[in-house]
Amino acid sequence: MEEEKAAISNETEIRHRGIKAMPFIIGNEMFEKLGTWGTSSNLVVYFTTVFNIKHVSAAILMNVFNGTTFISPLIGGFLADAYFGRFKTLGFASIASLMGLFLVMLTATISKLHPPTCGMKKSLCVQPTASQWAFLLFALLLLVIGSGGIRPCNMAFGADQFYPKTDSGKKSIDSFINWYYCVISICFIVSLTFIVYVQSNLSWALGLAIPPCLMFIACLLFFTGSRIYVKVKPEGSPITSIIQVLVAAAKKRSLEQPEDPETALFKHFTKSSINSELHYTNQFRFIDRAAIVTIEDQINEDGSPANPWRLCTMQQVEEVKCLVRVLPIWVSSAIFHIATTQQQIYVVYQALQSDRRLGNNNFKIPAASYTAVSWLTIAVWIPIYDRLIVPSLRKFTRQEGGITLLQRIGIGTFLSALFMLVSALAEERRRNLAQTHPTLGYAKGGGAVSSMPGLWLIPQLFLSGLAEAFGLIGQVEFYYKQFPENMRSIGVSVYYLAIAVGSYASGFLVSVVHQTTQGAATGNWLAEDLNKGRLDYFYYTISLMEIINFVYFLVCAKWYRYKAMVQTLESNHP
């Protein structure tokens, strides 16, 4: 306790307000997610019913849109860490999102901005004009820009408000990440139920007018708390340091490795740096050559290398190793997201052709609202995990998070294969009932509605939520902690880049399967009418991919070594 007080008293320049800043940051995030997800979660239905886009085309468009919103954070995170800082980046991105949501609303309220309604027969539908496409895509582009700045910075900006060099600060950051996702999960539930219901059952114009109003409140909250925020200043492009290490290592590739690199390599650490000083790790030793001192290298009076493109510090080398070590885990994460992406799109099509009636009345659950089950699972599971399971596990494992980050990700990876298997079984049942039992009419733009209750989709969505509670949150925390401090926004961006690659791969997979199975004896797996397709075969295929990915992840986790800091050594076991 005395050490914590001493550490805090040394922080004369920065006052970490911690919990006091949370109402503004969490409030901003809550209303931002209510706004953006209130629109994007039902876009696939909006595309097919208002813009008259075919199911496969809408699925591919959604995968591309989702992928782009997840790849843009890589640019936003770099700009935040290198030039603008997280506060300015968040402010600009929030305004861009507000404008994008407003324009999407206009596509529903102004009749000239969308095609005329075509009724039940898809063949009579009028496709969007070039100008209607242009307006819609511009609105989506603004949402992409907003995501590019908000997603890599909001969680990292919240964690900045806690002092990370004390035990209480570290525990607060861990809890903040867990509760951060708990809050967003609740927001997703509200978006996928109330807002989606208004859009699907009352009015698209009214339903799409709610999100920009919520986003305006998010902007207001964010800027109101600006006086008490800790605003970490950017230290210039961290990418430059990475390139310097690679260039220096290439120039000295002919040098022999030192027998004792930990003592032989050039050491210089600037205490004013926001990065933690790292211990030497015996991996990727070919990069060590960048820190070997030769007779040609000169040292400045302050101990820094005169030519950083020829001689780098051991600290720089270790920071590059942190990034290289993450790459195999990142590949596994991208494959993991192929499964989670499909659950957000094709489960909506499954729901559209299932019995969505609730009880004996005529009320129908909106198809997109079924995905709220995943987020409800996350919202319920996280408090139980954070307050009950983690403290109990901590006593046995002596790990701050109860289990290691890679163990948490591994559980999520295994569950991704399991929920795709359950999804295939549910779809097989839905299709069989549609072909052998009386149907319940026709879905708009689709085929006959199966008599299978939509509640049969809940098990797969429950497992999907559990997989995300372990996998997604574990990945965010993993990238946040394993990247150097001056690259944390980029670290979170790498997490979103994995989702982007998973979304693009998912869209590519949909396109390939759709094209290759058109003339198959089993029929097109991804037919417009699911009753005539074999979506269950598609799910089985993804489940097999995820099983292979789980085995690959276990190999990577066995090989991985956690970032080891001078102040506090972390465990080197997965």
Side-chain angles (χ1 to χ4, degrees):
M1 190 66 184
E2 294 297 326
E3 293 179 0
E4 291 188 14
K5 290 181 179 178
I8 295 173
S9 64
N10 290 333
E11 292 290 306
T12 57
E13 295 182 3
I14 300 176
R15 293 186 62 188
H16 293 80
R17 303 296 183 98
I19 297 298
K20 291 182 179 180
M22 290 304 102
F24 301 102
I25 295 174
I26 294 294
N28 162 260
E29 180 64 14
M30 179 177 69
F31 284 102
E32 185 269 327
K33 284 293 178 286
L34 282 171
T36 54
W37 270 82
T39 295
S40 61
S41 59
N42 210 20
L43 272 182
V44 68
V45 178
Y46 185 63
F47 289 158
T48 56
T49 59
V50 178
F51 270 75
N52 304 332
I53 304 173
K54 292 184 178 180
H55 282 182
V56 170
S57 300
I60 294 173
L61 178 59
M62 275 303 299
N63 279 318
V64 172
F65 171 70
N66 288 333
T68 308
T69 60
F70 287 123
I71 203 171
S72 60
L74 192 64
I75 300 172
F78 168 74
L79 294 175
D81 283 340
Y83 301 108
F84 304 118
R86 287 187 266 273
F87 174 75
K88 290 181 180 179
T89 304
L90 274 170
F92 174 79
S94 297
I95 294 172
S97 287
L98 175 61
M99 294 173 61
L101 292 173
F102 179 74
L103 294 184
V104 171
M105 177 198 70
L106 292 183
T107 64
T109 55
I110 300 176
S111 59
K112 291 184 178 180
L113 294 179
H114 63 260
T117 304
C118 61
M120 299 298 294
K121 293 185 177 180
K122 202 74 174 177
S123 59
L124 302 178
C125 292
V126 177
Q127 295 300 299
T129 64
S131 59
Q132 289 169 347
W133 267 116
F135 194 90
L136 176 64
L137 293 177
F138 180 67
L140 297 180
L141 175 62
L142 288 174
L143 293 179
V144 168
I145 294 172
S147 297
I150 293 173
R151 285 177 170 169
C153 297
N154 49 15
M155 191 204 69
F157 185 69
D160 287 342
Q161 310 310 311
F162 298 95
Y163 185 61
K165 296 183 179 180
T166 63
D167 289 337
S168 61
K170 292 175 183 176
K171 290 178 181 178
S172 295
I173 291 174
D174 288 344
S175 290
F176 165 73
I177 293 173
N178 284 332
W179 285 95
Y180 170 90
Y181 270 93
C182 181
V183 170
I184 355 182
S185 299
I186 294 171
C187 294
F188 287 157
I189 294 167
V190 175
S191 297
L192 292 166
T193 52
F194 171 70
I195 298 178
V196 166
Y197 174 79
V198 174
Q199 292 169 351
S200 300
N201 293 60
L202 299 181
S203 165
W204 278 105
L206 177 60
L208 291 175
I210 298 173
C213 295
L214 295 171
M215 191 65 218
F216 177 77
I217 298 174
C219 293
L220 195 63
L221 276 172
F222 178 73
F223 290 110
T224 300
S226 61
R227 291 186 177 182
I228 67 171
Y229 296 148
V230 171
K231 302 169 186 175
V232 178
K233 295 181 179 179
E235 292 191 334
S237 173
I239 305 298
T240 303
S241 177
I242 297 172
I243 298 174
Q244 286 174 341
V245 170
L246 298 178
V247 170
K251 288 180 177 179
K252 298 180 178 181
R253 59 186 178 276
S254 60
L255 296 180
E256 293 185 4
Q257 293 281 0
E259 294 182 2
D260 186 9
E262 189 167 3
T263 57
L265 297 180
F266 177 67
K267 294 181 180 179
H268 174 72
F269 182 73
T270 306
K271 296 296 182 181
S272 60
S273 173
I274 64 172
N275 288 356
S276 300
E277 187 175 358
L278 302 178
H279 272 283
Y280 175 78
T281 54
N282 195 29
Q283 285 182 318
F284 311 113
R285 291 194 60 184
F286 62 91
I287 308 177
D288 292 350
R289 292 183 174 88
I292 297 177
V293 183
T294 66
I295 57 174
E296 299 177 17
D297 295 317
Q298 297 180 352
I299 312 298
N300 294 324
E301 292 182 1
D302 62 354
S304 62
N307 184 2
W309 294 94
R310 180 172 176 81
L311 176 64
C312 299
T313 65
M314 190 181 78
Q315 172 74 14
Q316 288 176 282
V317 169
E318 287 303 314
E319 289 174 1
V320 172
K321 288 182 180 181
C322 288
L323 308 186
V324 178
R325 272 194 295 266
V326 164
L327 291 179
I329 304 295
W330 178 86
V331 172
S332 175
S333 300
I335 299 172
F336 168 85
H337 291 298
I338 293 176
T340 57
T341 299
Q342 293 300 339
Q343 279 298 291
Q344 299 301 321
I345 297 175
Y346 267 96
V347 73
V348 177
Y349 296 157
Q350 286 180 278
L352 283 170
Q353 290 188 241
S354 299
D355 183 4
R356 294 182 284 122
R357 294 176 299 180
L358 194 62
N360 295 323
N361 52 46
N362 293 323
F363 176 79
K364 289 184 178 180
I365 301 173
S369 294
Y370 280 89
T371 56
V373 174
S374 294
W375 296 105
L376 180 61
T377 303
I378 296 173
V380 172
W381 171 253
I382 288 177
I384 297 173
Y385 181 78
D386 187 69
R387 294 301 177 186
L388 298 178
I389 297 178
V390 169
S392 301
L393 287 173
R394 194 179 286 146
K395 295 177 183 178
F396 297 98
T397 63
R398 296 183 181 180
Q399 294 284 339
E400 288 182 8
I403 56 178
T404 67
L405 297 176
L406 289 178
Q407 287 170 344
R408 189 171 183 177
I409 297 172
I411 294 172
T413 305
F414 171 77
L415 289 173
S416 69
L418 183 60
F419 82 69
M420 289 308 302
L421 177 62
V422 173
S423 300
L425 294 173
E427 172 56 20
E428 191 173 347
R429 174 179 173 79
R430 190 207 62 76
R431 182 177 179 274
N432 288 339
L433 285 176
Q435 293 181 337
T436 58
H437 289 69
T439 55
L440 307 176
Y442 285 85
K444 186 176 181 180
V449 176
S450 171
S451 60
M452 186 192 84
L455 297 178
W456 278 90
L457 300 175
I458 289 180
Q460 70 191 65
L461 290 166
F462 168 76
L463 289 172
S464 173
L466 211 55
E468 293 184 33
F470 280 99
L472 292 187
I473 301 173
Q475 288 169 23
V476 170
E477 193 172 348
F478 175 76
Y479 295 127
Y480 179 81
K481 290 184 175 181
Q482 295 305 300
F483 271 64
E485 286 82 347
N486 67 332
M487 295 180 64
R488 278 179 167 168
S489 294
I490 295 179
V492 178
S493 302
V494 167
Y495 155 75
Y496 285 115
L497 180 63
I499 300 180
V501 172
S503 295
Y504 286 133
S506 178
F508 177 74
L509 191 61
V510 168
S511 180
V512 169
V513 169
H514 178 65
Q515 295 295 328
T516 55
T517 61
Q518 276 186 331
T522 55
N524 193 331
W525 289 9
L526 302 177
E528 194 76 4
D529 179 1
L530 295 186
N531 300 329
K532 297 178 181 178
R534 294 311 306 245
L535 181 61
D536 51 338
Y537 289 179
F538 183 59
Y539 282 162
Y540 282 129
T541 302
I542 298 178
S543 180
L544 179 61
M545 289 173 56
E546 295 299 336
I547 292 172
I548 297 171
N549 182 46
F550 177 64
V551 175
Y552 164 76
F553 174 83
L554 292 179
V555 174
C556 294
K558 181 73 175 177
W559 164 84
Y560 189 82
R561 293 295 177 267
Y562 288 99
K563 182 174 72 173
M565 296 177 288
V566 171
Q567 290 87 347
T568 54
L569 286 175
E570 296 187 34
S571 170
N572 279 334
H573 301 284

